[in-house]
Amino acid sequence: MITYIYFTSKITFCLITCIDCRGSALLGYIGIDTIIEQMRKKTMKTGFDFNIMVVGQSGLGKSTLVNTLFKSQVSRRSTGWSRDEKIPKTVEIKSVSHVIEEGGVKMKLTVIDTPGFGDQINNENCWEPISKYINEQYEKFLKEEVNIARKKRIPDTRVHCCLYFISPTGHTLRQLDTEFMKHLSRVVNIIPIIAKSDTLTLDEKTEFKQRVRKELEACGIECYPQKEFDEDMEDKSDNDKIREAMPFAVVGSDKEYQANGKRILGRKTAWGVVEVENPNHCEFSLLRDFMIRSHLQDLKEVTHNIHYETYRAKRLNDNGGLHPISSGQDTQESNL
C-alpha cells in the first residue's frame, strides 16, 4: 500500500476515491433525495409516450382488451360508437393516439391495430408487414437522431409492447404463432396472452398454459421480460414470477354489470358474470399490474436500449453511418 502511494499520485487518488465510494457519512442535509421529486415534476409537465401493438386473428377481442386495460375507448379514433356497439374488424395496420391523464400525469397512448392477422388461407410470411412497420419506426427515430438541428424531444413512435393473442384452443400453438413470435421477439417486446380464456375450464387453462410455455422454450422464443436483461437478484425474482404466469389467460370487456352491490367490468353468461378484474376468474389484473403498474418504464427502456440500439448498430454498420441531415424543420419540443 505504501509503495503504491509513493510510486504515483494518480494511484493515490484512485485509492482514496475507491475508499470514499464505499460510503461516507454526511455532515448535514444536502438534498440529493429531491432528484426523485424533480423527475416527477418534469414528467408531469411534459408527459410521456407509450405505444402498444395488438396482434392476433380476428374475433379474439384485441380492441376490447385494450379498452379494458386503459378503461376508455382508446382502440378507435371515432368517438361516435356506444359501448353496446360491436367494434368493427380491422382491415389494415393503423395507429390511433389518445392523451390519457391520471393524477396529473399525461400519457400519449398510441394503439397500433393490425390487419386480420392469420385469417387468410395462406398465412405464409404474414408477419412481414408488421415487422416492416416496427422497423420503420426505428428508422424514423434514427433519422431524427442524426439531424444536425434535432428536436428537443424526438417524437417516439417506436412500439414498446406487442400483445400477441393466442386462440383458446386448449391444444397447442399454431405454427403461425411460433413463427410470428420467433421472428418478432428479436425486434419488439412480446407479451403472449390467451384470449377469451373463459371458454376454457380451469384444468384446460392450466394445461394449455403449461403446454404453451414448453413450446415457446422448445422453439427458443424468449418473451418479455427476457432473462438476460434481469439487472439483479430482485429483478430476477420478480420477473421469474411473471415468466411462470405466462401466457396470461385473460378476459376483456368494456361493459359494466351489477354484482355483489357494485359495478364491475365483466362478461355476462347464462351461469353468471365473469368478472374481468377478479383474479379468481382470469389473469387480467395480473397482466395490467405487470404491464402498466410495475414494468411500463422498463418496456420503454428495453425498447430503446436493446431493440432500437440493435437496429441502430446494424443500420449504421451496413451503411457506413448515416450522414447528418440539415433541414429547416421546426426544432421546438413536440407537444402531446
Side-chain angles (χ1 to χ4, degrees):
M1 183 75 171
I2 298 174
T3 305
Y4 284 128
I5 292 174
Y6 175 78
F7 184 71
T8 172
S9 60
K10 287 184 180 179
I11 295 181
T12 304
F13 174 75
C14 289
L15 289 172
I16 293 172
T17 303
C18 188
I19 293 169
D20 287 344
C21 283
R22 295 176 185 175
S24 56
L26 301 177
L27 300 178
Y29 180 70
I30 300 174
I32 299 172
D33 57 345
T34 62
I35 185 67
I36 304 299
E37 180 63 16
Q38 294 172 41
M39 292 167 66
R40 187 186 73 84
K41 285 182 177 179
K42 187 163 186 178
T43 300
M44 290 183 71
K45 187 182 297 183
T46 61
F48 64 97
D49 301 306
F50 187 60
N51 309 317
I52 179 172
M53 174 180 273
V54 289
V55 179
Q57 65 184 109
S58 298
L60 291 180
K62 300 186 295 295
S63 299
T64 302
L65 184 71
V66 174
N67 289 342
T68 313
L69 275 170
F70 297 99
K71 295 191 174 181
S72 56
Q73 298 290 313
V74 295
S75 62
R76 285 290 187 273
R77 186 179 299 277
S78 173
T79 58
W81 295 328
S82 68
R83 281 176 172 252
D84 293 328
E85 291 180 0
K86 292 182 179 180
I87 298 174
K89 294 179 181 179
T90 57
V91 294
E92 59 183 1
I93 295 180
K94 61 171 124 179
S95 61
V96 182
S97 297
H98 300 267
V99 175
I100 299 176
E101 185 170 352
E102 183 180 48
V105 179
K106 293 179 182 178
M107 177 176 76
K108 182 182 178 183
L109 173 69
T110 299
V111 179
I112 301 102
D113 214 343
T114 56
F117 177 83
D119 295 334
Q120 309 303 317
I121 295 176
N122 181 5
N123 292 306
E124 188 177 0
N125 299 330
C126 64
W127 58 80
E128 287 184 351
I130 298 173
S131 177
K132 179 183 176 184
Y133 177 89
I134 291 171
N135 285 322
E136 283 174 350
Q137 308 319 304
Y138 291 147
E139 181 69 16
K140 191 183 298 184
F141 196 89
L142 177 59
K143 285 183 176 178
E144 288 285 357
E145 273 197 330
V146 299
N147 279 343
I148 292 176
R150 292 199 299 183
K151 295 176 181 177
K152 291 181 181 177
R153 186 173 178 223
I154 299 175
D156 190 1
T157 60
R158 296 169 299 180
V159 179
H160 301 124
C161 171
C162 174
L163 289 179
Y164 187 76
F165 287 66
I166 299 170
S167 183
T169 61
H171 302 299
T172 60
L173 291 174
R174 298 176 301 167
Q175 184 179 356
L176 176 61
D177 298 328
T178 54
E179 287 297 318
F180 175 88
M181 287 188 272
K182 188 183 296 183
H183 285 85
L184 273 293
S185 61
R186 303 166 187 166
V187 297
V188 71
N189 297 317
I190 291 181
I191 299 176
I193 59 177
I194 299 172
K196 296 186 175 181
S197 66
D198 55 325
T199 60
L200 300 170
T201 66
L202 292 177
D203 289 341
E204 287 173 341
K205 189 190 305 180
T206 301
E207 291 174 6
F208 189 38
K209 282 164 63 76
Q210 291 174 346
R211 203 173 295 123
V212 168
R213 283 197 295 269
K214 287 180 181 177
E215 287 185 66
L216 292 176
E217 186 177 353
C219 294
I221 299 169
E222 266 208 284
C223 297
Y224 178 87
Q226 300 89 336
K227 291 181 181 179
E228 59 185 300
F229 303 145
D230 293 341
E231 294 183 357
D232 50 41
M233 290 307 295
E234 184 181 358
D235 260 6
K236 184 180 184 304
S237 176
D238 292 341
N239 289 339
D240 279 345
K241 294 175 184 176
I242 294 166
R243 287 186 280 260
E244 289 168 7
M246 284 187 174
F248 297 104
V250 301
V251 174
S253 174
D254 49 10
K255 292 185 179 180
E256 291 185 338
Y257 296 95
Q258 191 77 22
N260 300 322
K262 60 180 182 179
R263 302 290 293 177
I264 55 107
L265 289 171
R267 278 165 56 91
K268 194 171 184 178
T269 69
W271 302 274
V273 176
V274 180
E275 300 176 31
V276 168
E277 297 181 283
N278 186 336
N280 294 319
H281 290 193
C282 75
E283 296 170 339
F284 170 82
S285 57
L286 186 60
L287 169 67
R288 178 202 58 206
D289 292 350
F290 154 61
M291 198 176 85
I292 299 173
R293 301 181 181 181
S294 66
H295 281 67
L296 190 148
Q297 179 60 29
D298 189 65
L299 281 164
K300 289 168 63 68
E301 289 179 1
V302 171
T303 298
H304 180 75
N305 298 329
I306 307 298
H307 297 306
Y308 169 67
E309 281 300 316
T310 301
Y311 176 87
R312 177 179 175 275
K314 185 177 185 303
R315 179 79 167 80
L316 296 179
N317 184 59
D318 290 347
N319 294 276
L322 286 177
H323 297 295
I325 303 170
S326 178
S327 66
Q329 294 177 345
D330 182 14
T331 59
Q332 296 301 312
E333 184 171 348
S334 61
N335 297 318
L336 288 180

